[in-house]
Amino acid sequence: MGRGKVVVRRIDDSARRQVTFSKRRHGLLKKARELGVLCDTDVGVIVFSPSGKRYEYATSSMKSIIERYNNYSMKSVDKSQINASASQYEDMWQKEVIRMKQEIKQLQHNNRQLMGEDLTALSPKDLHHLEQLLEMSLHRVREKKDEILIDELEELNRKERCLYEENMKLRKMISMVESSSIAKTGIDFCVESMNCSEVQGETSEVAISVPNFSLQLNQPDSCQSYHVRSKSRVATQLW
């Protein structure tokens, strides 16, 4: 007669439970040892008794086996998390692509309506709203154009003022150069006339007028006198 099937459930009697734990623990550790020897595998078994006492068996080192188990568990968790995250991101980006396509389609439709196309499906209220949008857009465009033109005019006026100031400076410099040149020419002429008078032994009077000053020389036979006075135009006389 065959052995009947044993129902696996908690043993209520504490003494029987302790005896069964001891027998099964020895059997489990024995099977783990045999598995490690026969199959050349790393086996680690840890058992805690109802009282909290620890029993363990390891083919190599329990610490190395636990570290190996933790690394494998972390890799498995990371891989599963990465796969889950990738799947979530893929779904999110697919939804985003669909949303952007719909938005682009709507913008293209609105642009065609602003250009005066695809107006057959619009109601009078929609057409009035579209007209208001166009008027507002046109008003903003005109304001921007006026602003740009005003800025350009101000820049041109500023350049004109700078050019005018530069022109005035150049005019003053030219006037000073011309005055210096005329004065030098008059003085040279005066000296030459005096030399001629000394040679001829005659009394002469030389008057030289240049802008802002005049040089008049009276030269008698025995002495010479010089007189400078202001005038506004050039005149040269010789007697």
Side-chain angles (χ1 to χ4, degrees):
M1 184 175 180
R3 185 178 177 180
K5 185 176 181 181
V6 178
V7 178
V8 180
R9 62 182 179 86
R10 183 178 182 274
I11 300 173
D12 296 332
D13 188 2
S14 59
R16 287 180 59 197
R17 187 167 60 245
Q18 184 63 33
V19 172
T20 303
F21 172 74
S22 179
K23 289 181 179 180
R24 298 273 181 154
R25 174 173 56 81
H26 284 295
L28 177 62
L29 297 180
K30 180 181 178 181
K31 293 293 184 183
R33 189 181 305 108
E34 291 175 354
L35 179 62
V37 173
L38 293 174
C39 301
D40 192 19
T41 59
D42 290 333
V43 180
V45 179
I46 300 176
V47 179
F48 291 93
S49 67
S51 61
K53 188 176 180 180
R54 186 187 67 181
Y55 301 90
E56 65 180 34
Y57 169 77
T59 55
S60 57
S61 170
M62 182 60 70
K63 183 178 179 181
S64 63
I65 291 175
I66 291 174
E67 289 179 353
R68 185 176 177 184
Y69 172 77
N70 289 333
N71 293 331
Y72 179 79
S73 299
M74 290 179 62
K75 289 180 180 179
S76 299
V77 172
D78 292 340
K79 188 175 180 180
S80 61
Q81 289 179 352
I82 290 173
N83 292 333
S85 300
S87 179
Q88 291 177 358
Y89 279 115
E90 185 178 358
D91 294 339
M92 183 184 69
W93 285 116
Q94 287 180 354
K95 292 179 181 179
E96 184 68 16
V97 169
I98 294 173
R99 186 188 66 81
M100 292 185 68
K101 286 182 178 180
Q102 293 177 353
E103 185 175 354
I104 291 172
K105 185 177 180 181
Q106 183 64 32
L107 289 173
Q108 290 176 348
H109 180 68
N110 293 337
N111 188 31
R112 287 194 299 270
Q113 288 182 347
L114 290 173
M115 296 299 294
E117 302 175 359
D118 296 341
L119 302 178
T120 55
L122 295 179
S123 63
K125 184 177 180 181
D126 295 334
L127 291 172
H128 180 68
H129 179 68
L130 181 61
E131 183 181 4
Q132 290 180 346
L133 290 177
L134 291 172
E135 289 178 354
M136 291 174 60
S137 299
L138 183 60
H139 179 69
R140 286 194 293 268
V141 170
R142 288 174 177 172
E143 286 183 348
K144 186 62 178 178
K145 185 187 71 174
D146 294 340
E147 181 181 353
I148 294 173
L149 290 175
I150 291 172
D151 293 340
E152 291 180 353
L153 287 174
E154 290 180 353
E155 182 66 18
L156 290 174
N157 290 330
R158 186 187 66 81
K159 291 182 179 180
E160 183 182 3
R161 288 193 298 269
C162 293
L163 291 174
Y164 178 77
E165 293 175 358
E166 292 293 331
N167 190 17
M168 294 302 297
K169 290 179 181 179
L170 291 174
R171 286 178 179 271
K172 290 180 179 179
M173 292 175 64
I174 292 171
S175 177
M176 292 174 62
V177 170
E178 289 179 350
S179 299
S180 300
S181 177
I182 293 174
K184 185 175 182 302
T185 302
I187 292 172
D188 293 340
F189 180 77
C190 176
V191 171
E192 183 179 356
S193 299
M194 290 171 59
N195 293 332
C196 292
S197 299
E198 289 177 357
V199 173
Q200 295 176 1
E202 297 176 353
T203 301
S204 62
E205 179 181 354
V206 179
I208 302 169
S209 296
V210 296
N212 298 326
F213 88 93
S214 173
L215 177 62
Q216 184 176 6
L217 301 177
N218 294 322
Q219 183 183 359
D221 295 337
S222 60
C223 63
Q224 296 179 359
S225 63
Y226 301 90
H227 176 66
V228 180
R229 59 179 179 173
S230 299
K231 288 185 178 182
S232 60
R233 60 193 181 87
V234 179
T236 303
Q237 296 178 350
L238 178 61
W239 289 273

